[in-house]
Amino acid sequence: MPGKEACAKKRGNNLIRTSRLVVIVLVLILAAVSVTYLILWPKEMPLHEENAITVTDALNRTVQIDLPINKVIITGKAAWPIVSLAYMFPSAKNRIYSLGQMIATTSLFRIIDPDIDSKVVAGLEMDIPNIEEIAAQNPDVVILKSYMKSNLGDPLESIGIKVVYVDLENLDTYLRDIKVLGKIFGDEAKAEEIANYYQEKHEFISSKTRSIENEDRPKVLLLYYDTKGGTISFNVPGARWLQTSMIEVAGGYPLSKELSGTGWNTVSFEQIARWNPDMIFVVTYSGDPSPSDIKHKLLDDPLWKSINALAEGKVYAFPHDCDNLLALGSWDSPCSRWILGIMWTAMKIHPSLFSDVNLAEEAKGFYMKMYCLNEDEAIAVINEITGDLK
Amino acid sequence: MRYNVRFSVLAVAVSILFMISLLIGRYSLWSHDLLYDELGKNIVWNIRLPRTLTAVLLGMALSVSGAALQSAFRNPLVGPGVIGVNQGAAFGAAFAILFLSNYPLTIEISSTLFGLLALFMAYAMSSAIKYGRRVLRLVLAGLAVSALFSGGVGVMKCLADPLKQLPELTFWLLGGLSGVVWRDFLYVLPLSLGGIIVLLIARWRVNLLTLEDDVVLSLGTDPGKLRALVVIAAVVATSVVTSVAGVIGWVGLIVPHIARKIFGTDSSRVILASALLGAALMITFDSIARTASAGEIPLGIVTSLLGAPLFIFLLSRKEMGTSG
């Protein structure tokens, strides 16, 4: 019995000692935090309403940004459509302060902004870049895709950095977000011009294809032939992706409409054989092989010969205007040139309806008007285009 | 070395690591005058402090829960992941992002409820299994529940809106503390700290669970009730931190073993030591995740890459005997 009592006493002592230790540590931490808080709590920065602009962004938030806006950072997952649109504003060359490595390696954007190399900051091309890395540059505003809110936008705002969200996923969000960028880059007239261009070209195509009955629409497959990781996979966009609606507007029947899944859906050859598409548009974003290489590979493959599109030779490589062949150059991606991509798609599906359109001229006009390139520069870009432009 | 000294060393180490973590980052505090650098202060107070505090909670919750569950199930290979709780919580978070709201509190509640549901499912299934002993049955049922919920997470990814929800869900599944702000910390604080405190208070009694149930009963404690209390506290703490940090499965399994190596097999010491060790490790890992490169390194990668060699190193050292 005495042994048991001693044991209980010892345990009690241990309990008291450990609890004391825990309390002391907690009190120390609390004291340290409170002292530092009193000394170093950041002061509220004053707002000067008269020297600020107000934008309503894609998440319907009203954001007030102090003028002048000289340091714009565009980063986070899928930042390239934002960059591709931002560079349409002549002031972007001076106001875009930093961006990721990937965009700076593309020939098109090197022509548009010869100083682009000096704007590259390591890490900004990551899906979730480091918050402090962005803060260290003290930006006036950071532009992000709307789904970056909880992972990047909220922490940035918690340290007082202004964040504006955009979507840029289809015509409607383009028209809305162009206006927001117009305010940030201080050029609402240019925003109007860009929005009108997209609206007019979209309307031009859809006015000719709108009345085409379903039975007259060829079955079109947009095939993302992926060779990453040494394995080949066939990927098809989901029903709600830009590519699906592009084919529909261009007067085709997008087979991807039948997919309930979202994002890129991996499908088997059997599914493609079952669909038996009348036309196949090939895209690939991994550089090598190019969409044209893949097109020839499919044409030479005996397995694919029985597919309608191949039997009739209606396989086309999607145009791409950046030499590194990443997604931001492909005309099917939500980067700025998807509007040229719709024209190209429509001309391939219904050549007779668009026989009066010269796509190379359209593209030249696009680069000159939208990106303010001179004729030689625009021609240089067009000469770089890979895929079946003609 | 006496245990109290070891505990003190560990507690001091946690405090020092905590302070260091506040002082390091991609933004250099030393190139500015800290007293006048508003941005620097902002970064320390609104980015580093909530994030480091959340790392402390995360490390503590996972490690303490792991240690308690290992004792409660008398199985050193049990962690929250093994009885399906991690995947249940992950499913709960995915479910919330898709169908409820991506508001942190909603994700947290949904995670916790599904974590508990996973636990109850594992329990219910284990009694239906006609094979093996009780603990084995529970582990087998847990594996089945885990598989079920991870399949469910896969289905959620297919159902997610690719333009809005899918990227968010993917980020969440990747795990990490990069998006943590004060609001997130304050939301997870009550339940996770509550779970940790319950386990810390109950840690002397957890020893009883390592005995056979009839022996525990003869000592005047209802083993069923005690086990239920321990397990529910562990599941709540784990699910809540999972809702903010994603699935970090490895820590809860390993830290208790490191604690046993240093502090012996007494559960009361192992649980307290796991809390401190878990906090120290998670502060270190998260600091590396946000400091080492210009982009954020996913926390799961850092914990596996650095934790595995550290674990083997600590366990292979001779001098850390279990005597005190």
Side-chain angles (χ1 to χ4, degrees), chain B:
Chain B
M1 220 189 323
R2 286 177 56 81
Y3 289 128
N4 281 343
V5 180
R6 292 183 189 182
F7 274 121
S8 312
V9 169
L10 210 49
V12 171
V14 171
S15 318
I16 293 174
L17 283 170
F18 188 90
M19 289 302 166
I20 293 175
S21 161
L22 293 185
L23 296 175
I24 58 167
R26 300 298 298 181
Y27 182 87
S28 167
L29 295 174
W30 316 118
S31 51
H32 307 81
D33 186 341
L34 192 56
L35 277 177
Y36 300 101
D37 178 15
E38 291 303 314
L39 183 61
K41 289 184 217 170
N42 244 320
I43 287 174
V44 171
W45 282 107
N46 293 319
I47 300 281
R48 292 185 193 168
L49 187 57
R51 187 168 169 164
T52 309
L53 285 171
T54 312
V56 170
L57 276 185
L58 174 66
M60 279 191 169
L62 293 178
S63 310
V64 168
S65 304
L69 290 176
Q70 285 174 9
S71 298
F73 294 124
R74 299 200 288 269
N75 186 330
L77 289 178
V78 166
V82 177
I83 51 168
V85 173
N86 276 350
Q87 290 302 335
F91 179 85
F95 182 82
I97 291 173
L98 250 67
F99 299 114
L100 305 172
S101 123
N102 58 2
Y103 199 62
L105 197 61
T106 323
I107 298 179
E108 180 188 332
I109 292 168
S110 174
S111 257
T112 312
L113 290 179
F114 276 96
L116 285 170
L117 178 70
L119 173 77
F120 289 127
M121 280 170 71
Y123 246 98
M125 279 188 199
S126 71
S127 58
I129 292 176
K130 305 275 184 290
Y131 167 77
R133 296 183 57 149
R134 199 178 51 81
V135 172
L136 176 65
R137 288 203 302 259
L138 188 69
V139 172
L140 285 176
L143 288 174
V145 171
S146 201
L148 193 70
F149 277 114
S150 76
V153 172
V155 172
M156 292 286 159
K157 280 174 87 171
C158 285
L159 294 177
D161 178 343
L163 307 182
K164 303 245 176 208
Q165 296 166 326
L166 189 62
E168 192 159 347
L169 186 57
T170 315
F171 286 143
W172 187 87
L173 290 170
L174 208 60
L177 298 172
S178 68
V180 169
V181 288
W182 276 114
R183 178 193 60 193
D184 303 292
F185 169 71
L186 293 176
Y187 283 156
V188 297
L189 181 68
L191 281 180
S192 60
L193 195 62
I196 294 168
I197 288 175
V198 167
L199 292 174
L200 284 178
I201 291 172
R203 68 185 198 274
W204 281 277
R205 289 187 161 250
V206 171
N207 268 331
L208 294 175
L209 292 176
T210 56
L211 306 171
E212 287 300 326
D213 281 2
D214 355 344
V215 181
V216 183
L217 209 55
S218 70
L219 288 171
T221 300
D222 181 342
K225 274 188 191 162
L226 180 57
R227 188 171 286 117
L229 173 78
V230 167
V231 170
I232 289 175
V235 168
V236 168
T238 307
S239 306
V240 167
V241 292
T242 299
S243 77
V244 67
V247 178
I248 311 275
W250 187 88
V251 176
L253 186 64
I254 300 306
V255 170
H257 287 289
I258 301 176
R260 269 186 213 105
K261 174 83 182 174
I262 309 175
F263 291 91
T265 49
D266 183 339
S267 297
S268 65
R269 286 197 295 263
V270 169
I271 290 178
L272 182 62
S274 294
L276 294 170
L277 274 170
L281 277 183
M282 202 51 86
I283 293 174
T284 312
F285 290 156
D286 186 55
S287 301
I288 293 170
R290 65 179 172 80
T291 315
S293 88
E296 186 86 24
I297 308 173
L299 190 54
I301 293 179
V302 182
T303 51
S304 307
L305 214 57
L306 296 181
L310 180 74
F311 169 61
I312 297 299
F313 171 73
L314 286 177
L315 293 197
S316 61
R317 289 192 62 188
K318 260 189 192 154
E319 59 269 30
M320 287 178 161
T322 53
S323 64

Side-chain angles (χ1 to χ4, degrees), chain A residues 269-282:
Chain A
F269 176 76
E270 284 194 38
Q271 177 60 49
I272 295 172
R274 187 189 156 129
W275 275 330
N276 197 14
D278 302 319
M279 282 183 150
I280 296 178
F281 294 137
V282 181

Side-chain angles (χ1 to χ4, degrees), chain A residues 124-319:
Chain A
L124 287 193
E125 71 279 5
M126 310 275 282
D127 283 355
I128 302 182
N130 191 288
I131 290 152
E132 293 186 20
E133 200 77 52
I134 298 171
Q137 300 172 61
N138 210 356
D140 296 322
V141 60
V142 178
I143 310 177
L144 303 173
K145 294 277 276 188
S146 61
Y147 49 66
M148 296 303 301
K149 185 173 184 294
S150 56
N151 283 286
L152 191 58
D154 285 348
L156 283 174
E157 288 195 320
S158 78
I159 52 172
I161 291 174
K162 300 289 179 183
V163 178
V164 169
Y165 299 105
V166 293
D167 284 327
L168 299 178
E169 296 283 2
N170 50 41
L171 181 67
D172 291 342
T173 51
Y174 250 77
L175 295 178
R176 181 194 66 198
D177 297 339
I178 286 167
K179 287 190 185 132
V180 172
L181 293 186
K183 280 195 165 180
I184 291 174
F185 289 103
D187 199 341
E188 292 178 58
K190 178 74 183 180
E192 188 83 24
E193 185 194 339
I194 302 169
N196 287 342
Y197 179 89
Y198 275 78
Q199 224 161 0
E200 275 168 25
K201 296 297 173 190
H202 197 272
E203 179 54 29
F204 168 69
I205 303 292
S206 55
S207 66
K208 294 201 175 201
T209 57
R210 202 174 285 139
S211 54
I212 301 174
E213 296 294 330
N214 261 351
E215 54 269 23
D216 298 328
R217 287 173 179 254
K219 290 186 286 177
V220 180
L221 181 72
L222 184 125
L223 179 67
Y224 168 23
Y225 189 101
D226 189 10
T227 52
K228 272 201 275 296
T231 51
I232 291 169
S233 68
F234 309 129
N235 300 284
V236 178
R240 290 190 50 202
W241 264 19
L242 177 66
Q243 289 91 337
T244 305
S245 74
M246 278 168 75
I247 292 167
E248 188 141 41
V249 171
Y253 175 79
L255 289 163
S256 48
K257 219 174 141 177
E258 297 172 8
L259 286 170
S260 57
T262 50
W264 284 109
N265 298 267
T266 302
V267 296
S268 63
F269 176 76
E270 284 194 38
Q271 177 60 49
I272 295 172
R274 187 189 156 129
W275 275 330
N276 197 14
D278 302 319
M279 282 183 150
I280 296 178
F281 294 137
V282 181
V283 299
T284 184
Y285 307 127
S286 41
D288 187 29
S290 71
S292 300
D293 296 337
I294 306 243
K295 172 189 145 179
H296 289 114
K297 202 175 163 207
L298 293 183
L299 284 168
D300 292 341
D301 191 334
L303 183 68
W304 285 72
K305 274 213 164 87
S306 51
I307 305 272
N308 223 358
L310 286 112
E312 295 186 17
K314 291 190 172 171
V315 183
Y316 305 100
F318 231 98

